[in-house]
């Protein structure tokens, strides 16, 4: 008996995966092709291996894919200020005292 292939996908890269046409024999519409390019651009920004190049969550929120806006291949995310710990500010909630106000007791 011949061994069954355990290969479930025919793509090897992220662009191949995003641009895969699926089971339909119809080619992608221009709108769908543009939407997929927008999605691919978004994924490449949030999944960049280099942390200096990777978008922060605030930057990702400005992307046309998230805002459902027209895709711009030249999109550059807005600057995001340094995280609080890098700017010398404490923002660690685990060391911030928690203030709980209990309701006055009723007799």
């Amino acid at each position: 008996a011949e061994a069954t292939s355990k290969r479930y996908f025919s793509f090897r890269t992220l662009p191949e995966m995003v641009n895969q046409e699926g089971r339909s024999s119809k080619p992608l519409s221009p709108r769908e092709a543009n939407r997929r390019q927008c999605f691919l651009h978004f994924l490449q920004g949030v999944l960049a291996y280099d942390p200096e190049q990777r978008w922060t969550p605030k930057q990702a929120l400005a992307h046309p894919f998230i805002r459902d806006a027209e895709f711009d291949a030249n999109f550059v995310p807005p600057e995001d200020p340094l995280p609080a710990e890098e700017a010398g500010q404490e923002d660690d909630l685990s060391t911030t005292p928690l203030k709980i106000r209990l309701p006055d007791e009723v007799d």
Side-chain angles (χ1 to χ4, degrees), residues 58 80-96:
K58 285 182 183 179
D80 191 8
L82 292 174
E85 65 269 11
E86 290 181 27
Q89 301 172 0
E90 273 192 41
D91 195 24
D92 183 7
L93 296 178
S94 65
T95 61
T96 304

Side-chain angles (χ1 to χ4, degrees), residues 13-14 21-22 25 33 53 56 58 60 73 75 99-100 104 107:
T13 67
L14 192 57
E21 291 187 13
S25 60
Q53 299 297 316
T56 66
K58 285 182 183 179
F75 171 83
K99 296 179 182 178
I100 300 174
D104 296 329
D107 290 322

Side-chain angles (χ1 to χ4, degrees), residues 18-64:
V18 171
N19 292 314
Q20 192 168 11
E21 291 187 13
R23 296 181 182 184
S24 173
S25 60
K26 296 187 315 185
L28 296 176
S29 70
R31 184 175 188 275
E32 179 63 18
N34 184 276
R35 191 78 181 131
R36 288 184 185 206
Q37 285 308 114
C38 187
F39 179 56
L40 177 60
H41 189 264
F42 172 78
L43 288 177
Q44 289 170 331
V46 297
L47 298 176
Y49 184 74
D50 180 358
E52 296 294 321
Q53 299 297 316
R54 189 179 315 129
W55 299 342
T56 66
K58 285 182 183 179
Q59 290 174 314
L61 285 173
H63 194 272

